[in-house]
Amino acid sequence: MFHSQMPTFSDGKLPVFVFPTALIFYSNDQSSHKQVLTIYNPYEISLRFKVLCTSPKKYSVVESEGTIKPKCCVDIVVRHNEVNRSHEGFQDKFRIQVSESGHKKVLGRLPMQLIFTNPYVQILYFTADHYRKQGHNICVISK
């Protein structure tokens, strides 16, 4: 019989499993300003997690620290607080850190991108890039 055990990762390289791998917030879609991030624990031990952010004033993270039971997952709600069109195109970062429950040493970490954009601008640039690759000259004019 196969018994899964906790891998021995003393160098901080324990794989961290998160879905989705990036969060995209759309300036003109209020429903995207609140999203759910799921952290999975496939291991046989309880893990502590911590969510760190490069721009903590822009985002609210419900339960930014906590414990994940073995073979379970937790959902974390992330809200974009500073919805301002002047922030479109900016990318911030989260880092998810995990450690064994009851210990401080970080066993694993995962960087994540947080993107604040306008979906119409994304479509416009995708279309322009598509035509450029086909050899067409194209000029993008914005207000």
Side-chain angles (χ1 to χ4, degrees), residues 23 25 35 37 39 49-66 75-81 93-96 114:
L23 296 178
F25 301 91
Q35 296 192 33
L37 184 66
I39 305 174
F49 70 89
K50 186 174 189 177
V51 180
L52 305 167
C53 182
T54 56
S55 300
K57 291 182 180 180
K58 284 187 189 176
Y59 304 93
S60 296
V61 180
V62 177
E63 295 185 47
S64 62
E65 296 184 47
D75 289 334
I76 300 167
V77 176
V78 178
R79 287 186 180 89
H80 194 295
N81 297 328
K93 293 187 179 170
F94 269 9
R95 184 171 66 211
I96 314 293
L114 306 171

Side-chain angles (χ1 to χ4, degrees), residues 124-137:
L124 178 64
Y125 284 115
F126 170 77
T127 304
D129 189 48
H130 172 74
Y131 283 109
R132 278 191 199 104
K133 286 180 182 175
Q134 292 183 353
H136 301 283
N137 289 328

Side-chain angles (χ1 to χ4, degrees), residues 120-121 123-125 127-128 132 137-143:
Y120 301 116
V121 172
I123 292 168
L124 178 64
Y125 284 115
T127 304
R132 278 191 199 104
N137 289 328
I138 189 162
C139 178
V140 177
I141 300 172
S142 62
K143 291 182 179 182

Side-chain angles (χ1 to χ4, degrees), residues 68-93:
I68 312 170
K69 294 178 184 176
K71 306 281 184 184
C72 292
C73 62
V74 294
D75 289 334
I76 300 167
V77 176
V78 178
R79 287 186 180 89
H80 194 295
N81 297 328
E82 291 188 18
V83 179
N84 185 332
R85 293 194 70 135
S86 67
H87 294 154
E88 286 179 1
F90 282 89
Q91 294 187 16
D92 296 308
K93 293 187 179 170

